[in-house]
């Protein structure tokens, strides 16, 4: 059994298909399928049920999953130790992010990090808050930008930096609210809404805001992609709450909400007081040393770190 085979196995589990897993591992699908078949032959059992549109773990696959995670984590720890001795000339770091992150220009920050540490491979995953949180706790991610539903992070996770993002109401051009420029939550009762599917950090923040204000929204369409949400609003299907930079970049009217002013908290989180992975530690130092959005970068207001 080779580490490469286990990595391919975990890629299929994470990505949900052989096609997506091959893309993530930067190999052709036939090579990845052969790798998995060889692993199954060596173990004497099928690891995936391939009969549906999405591959599903068999009982044997579920039994292998925690062992594969542990073995890969051990291999990563050994590789990280060597990378630390080599002055971070090599290594890997995995970071997760909510799709609607605006408080940090993550592509620009990762580009700057790559200039400083060209030998470190960075893996980026976007997913729902619950999926990112579970991946952090399982050790599949080193760091993640989250918009947590609760005031406190789950046990074992630490917030290294915190931001506050202003939420605004975006509308189609020419909408009566666009001409007004501002509105009250209570005046939105008759408006149709476009929203994200349940489970995203933004959907949770908006749902809690509406409940707090007694607003029963009429959802005409729910989506999983920020770009599609923006275009549906532009087409006039409904209005939506988004962080202000998303609306401004789309060129849509951004209506300010009064009483209360809506917002959400975004945190950069990880495990423990500091990542054990030296590459992740270097990336954390880079990201927490970045100029706050309030000082000129788009997104939100940096809040002081907790004790």
């Amino acid at each position: 059994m080779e580490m490469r085979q286990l990595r391919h196995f975990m890629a299929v589990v994470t990505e949900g298909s052989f096609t997506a897993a091959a893309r993530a591992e930067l190999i052709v699908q036939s090579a990845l399928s052969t790798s998995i078949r060889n692993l199954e032959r060596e173990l004497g059992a099928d690891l995936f049920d391939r009969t549906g549109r999405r591959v599903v773990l068999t009982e044997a696959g579920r039994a292998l999953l925690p062992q594969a995670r542990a073995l890969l984590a051990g291999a990563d720890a050994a590789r990280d130790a060597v990378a630390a001795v080599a002055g971070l000339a090599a290594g890997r770091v995995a970071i997760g992010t909510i799709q609607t992150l605006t408080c940090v220009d993550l592509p620009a920050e990762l580009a700057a990090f790559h200039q400083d540490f060209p030998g470190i491979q960075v893996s980026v995953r976007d997913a729902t808050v619950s999926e990112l949180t579970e991946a952090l706790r399982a050790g599949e991610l080193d760091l993640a930008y989250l918009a947590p539903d609760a005031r406190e992070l789950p046990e074992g996770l630490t917030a290294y930096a915190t931001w506050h993002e202003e939420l605004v109401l975006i509308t189609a051009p020419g909408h009566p609210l666009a001409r007004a420029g501002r509105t009250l939550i209570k005046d939105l009762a008759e408006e149709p809404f476009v929203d994200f599917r349940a489970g995203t950090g933004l959907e949770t923040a908006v749902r809690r805001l509406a409940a707090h204000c007694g607003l029963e929204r009429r959802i005409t369409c729910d989506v999983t992609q920020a770009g599609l949400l923006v275009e549906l609003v532009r087409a006039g299907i409904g209005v939506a709450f988004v962080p202000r930079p998303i609306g401004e970049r789309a060129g849509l009217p951004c209506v300010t909400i009064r009483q209360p002013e809506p917002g959400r908290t975004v945190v950069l989180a990880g495990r423990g007081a500091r990542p054990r992975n030296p590459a992740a530690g270097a990336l954390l130092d880079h990201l927490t040393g970045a100029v706050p959005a309030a000082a000129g970068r788009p997104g939100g207001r940096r809040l002081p770190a907790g004790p």
Side-chain angles (χ1 to χ4, degrees):
M1 184 187 309
E2 300 175 3
M3 287 296 173
R4 174 178 53 85
Q5 293 172 318
L6 292 179
R7 193 169 66 250
H8 293 165
F9 167 75
M10 286 302 303
V12 176
V13 172
T14 300
E15 301 295 333
S17 73
F18 282 74
T19 301
R23 190 181 306 118
E25 288 296 302
L26 303 178
I27 61 174
V28 296
Q29 183 175 339
S30 59
L32 183 133
S33 297
T34 299
S35 177
I36 296 295
R37 284 294 186 192
N38 289 339
L39 178 61
E40 290 175 323
R41 189 177 301 112
E42 184 175 347
L43 295 175
D46 288 341
L47 301 174
F48 296 101
D49 180 357
R50 300 168 171 84
T51 58
R53 294 178 60 185
R54 181 180 176 90
V55 294
V56 177
L57 283 170
T58 62
E59 285 296 323
R62 282 191 286 272
L64 176 63
L65 183 58
Q67 304 301 323
R69 280 175 169 160
L71 287 169
L72 288 173
D76 287 342
R79 191 162 41 241
D80 293 337
V82 174
V85 172
L88 292 170
R92 296 177 61 155
V93 55
I95 183 169
T97 179
I98 52 176
Q99 188 185 145
T100 55
L101 180 71
T102 62
C103 58
V104 173
D105 186 346
L106 188 56
E109 295 299 345
L110 293 181
F113 179 77
H114 175 69
Q115 288 186 333
D116 293 337
F117 301 99
I120 294 179
Q121 180 181 344
V122 181
S123 174
V124 183
R125 183 194 307 183
D126 73 87
T128 65
V129 172
S130 59
E131 290 170 337
L132 293 174
T133 300
E134 183 56 35
L136 266 182
R137 300 181 73 178
E140 296 168 12
L141 292 175
D142 297 294
L143 302 166
Y145 286 98
L146 308 174
D149 183 23
R151 292 179 61 87
E152 300 292 336
L153 289 173
E155 184 178 357
L157 299 186
T158 301
Y160 301 125
T162 304
W163 293 263
H164 177 79
E165 289 186 330
E166 176 194 8
L167 299 182
V168 297
L169 189 78
I170 57 173
T171 74
H175 191 286
L177 287 172
R179 290 192 292 271
R182 57 182 57 231
T183 187
L184 301 174
I185 292 285
K186 66 181 182 64
D187 293 335
L188 301 176
E190 301 302 319
E191 292 292 334
F193 277 82
V194 181
D195 201 1
F196 282 98
R197 296 257 175 95
T200 66
L202 183 55
E203 184 275 338
T204 299
V206 172
R207 176 161 39 83
R208 295 178 71 180
L209 171 68
H212 174 73
C213 298
L215 173 65
E216 294 187 9
R217 292 179 302 149
R218 177 164 58 92
I219 309 297
T220 58
C221 191
D222 62 83
V223 300
T224 58
Q225 294 294 322
L228 180 57
L229 179 142
V230 166
E231 293 309 313
L232 289 170
V233 171
R234 191 190 309 276
I237 290 179
V239 299
F241 285 106
V242 297
R244 180 178 288 276
I246 290 180
E248 292 178 343
R249 285 198 295 263
L252 290 177
C254 296
V255 181
T256 301
I257 303 299
R258 297 182 293 128
Q259 299 179 356
E261 296 180 358
R264 69 170 178 177
T265 298
V266 175
V267 302
L268 175 60
R271 297 182 305 281
R274 183 172 175 82
R276 297 178 61 184
N277 174 0
L283 180 57
L284 174 62
D285 291 342
H286 175 83
L287 293 173
T288 54
V291 178
R297 296 189 181 181
R301 177 165 50 88
R302 177 75 173 270
L303 301 178

